[in-house]
């Protein structure tokens, strides 16, 4: 079971700090049209996809003959780790190009909020539900690590009840990227706009670096875990 723990922790932490989901939530909560309702619908759509993917993945693994071999799991970890490292290094190197600061200081090249964030300001609850449902599917890091954790849970060391409990805890952890901004909005309604606007600005300015380091850290974690178990 020890080799599954890095996968679960990686999926939980990568999901909990997902920049794209956090930025989408902040954009919805900053909107003028039913922000709390739309934020809740975003969370529901995101969670439905998490539950659906977990159910489908575990059902496919069971149908294919139960748990994967340890070597197969380790190889998958190595592949996912390499992919995450590749994406992370690409983002990080691009952000640290020797001439990056020269270009970014020009007004026309300064970081601006993505166009899709502006579109979220006027969502209806139904559209917010749909946006929540596609967020995970357009975030390669979240999706890859989450599916990697699901294949780890195919282990026969987990009973049916244990598997359900672990999946539930994993989903709650991944939901934090949306739950935390929602909690701030509910707990501090008078200060929420200022706090969330500041967080939105910071994420907009640092999205590439945040995403890169998340990918690199957990890519290394998965790569080392897979390599150790293959050795």
């Amino acid at each position: 079971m020890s080799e599954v723990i890095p996968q679960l922790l990686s999926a939980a932490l990568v999901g909990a700090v997902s920049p794209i989901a956090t930025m989408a939530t902040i954009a919805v909560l900053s909107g003028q049209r039913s922000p709390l309702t739309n934020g809740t619908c975003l969370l529901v759509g995101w969670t439905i996809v998490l539950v659906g993917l977990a159910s489908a993945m575990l059902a496919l693994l069971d149908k294919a003959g139960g748990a994967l071999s340890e070597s197969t799991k380790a190889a998958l970890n190595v592949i996912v780790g390499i992919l995450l490292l590749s994406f992370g290094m690409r983002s990080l190197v691009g952000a640290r190009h020797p001439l990056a600061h020269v270009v970014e200081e020009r007004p026309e090249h300064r970081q601006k909020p993505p166009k899709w964030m502006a579109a979220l300001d006027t969502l209806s609850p139904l559209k917010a539900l749909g946006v929540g449902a596609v967020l995970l599917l357009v975030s390669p890091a979240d999706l890859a690590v989450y599916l990697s954790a699901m294949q780890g849970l195919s282990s026969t060391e987990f009973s049916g009840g244990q598997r359900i409990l672990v999946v539930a805890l994993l989903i709650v952890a991944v939901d934090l990227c949306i739950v935390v901004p929602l909690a701030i909005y509910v707990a501090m309604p008078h200060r929420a706009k200022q706090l969330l606007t500041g967080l939105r600005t910071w994420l907009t300015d640092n999205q590439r670096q945040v995403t890169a380091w998340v990918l690199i850290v957990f890519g290394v974690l998965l790569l080392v875990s897979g390599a150790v178990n293959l050795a």
Side-chain angles (χ1 to χ4, degrees):
M1 190 178 294
S2 59
E3 68 273 8
V4 179
I5 294 176
Q7 293 172 276
L8 296 174
L9 290 177
S10 297
L13 292 172
V14 169
V17 297
S18 172
I20 188 170
T22 302
M23 291 176 70
T25 306
I26 293 172
V28 168
L29 293 176
S30 302
Q32 303 298 319
R33 187 174 179 182
S34 306
L36 185 57
T37 300
N38 286 345
T40 303
C41 289
L42 193 79
L43 175 62
V44 171
W46 171 267
T47 305
I48 287 173
V49 172
L50 290 175
V51 173
L53 285 175
S55 301
M57 186 73 174
L58 294 177
L60 285 173
L61 289 170
D62 287 341
K63 189 175 181 180
L68 297 175
S69 68
E70 297 305 317
S71 60
T72 302
K73 291 180 184 179
L76 287 173
N77 280 349
V78 169
I79 293 171
V80 173
I82 291 173
L83 287 174
L84 294 182
L85 272 173
S86 300
F87 285 122
M89 290 302 297
R90 183 175 182 275
S91 295
L92 195 60
V93 170
R96 293 188 174 183
H97 190 279
L99 297 179
H101 69 285
V102 176
V103 175
E104 289 171 358
E105 284 177 0
R106 298 178 183 173
E108 67 271 21
H109 291 291
R110 286 175 184 161
Q111 288 284 353
K112 297 178 182 178
K115 292 182 180 180
W116 59 263
M117 286 186 69
L120 298 181
D121 290 342
T122 57
L123 283 182
S124 65
L126 185 60
K127 288 182 179 179
L129 184 71
V131 169
V134 301
L135 279 177
L136 185 69
L137 304 180
V138 296
S139 180
D142 297 334
L143 185 60
V145 180
Y146 184 70
L147 292 180
S148 176
M150 288 301 104
Q151 64 86 11
L153 287 175
S154 67
S155 172
T156 54
E157 296 178 10
F158 288 97
S159 67
Q162 288 175 329
R163 189 180 294 177
I164 292 173
L165 176 60
V166 172
V167 169
L169 291 174
L170 177 60
I171 290 173
V172 169
V174 176
D175 277 346
L176 288 177
C177 58
I178 297 178
V179 171
V180 170
L182 277 173
I184 293 174
Y185 187 88
V186 172
M188 298 180 287
H190 299 296
R191 296 184 58 196
K193 186 171 183 179
Q194 180 181 355
L195 289 171
L196 293 175
T197 299
L199 181 57
R200 175 177 178 169
T201 300
W202 186 87
L203 282 172
T204 299
D205 292 340
N206 299 278
Q207 181 184 6
R208 175 181 286 182
Q209 292 89 335
V210 171
T211 302
W213 281 111
V214 167
L215 292 171
I216 289 170
V217 169
F218 297 107
V220 169
L221 210 164
L222 284 175
L223 181 57
V224 170
S225 172
V228 167
N229 285 286
L230 278 176

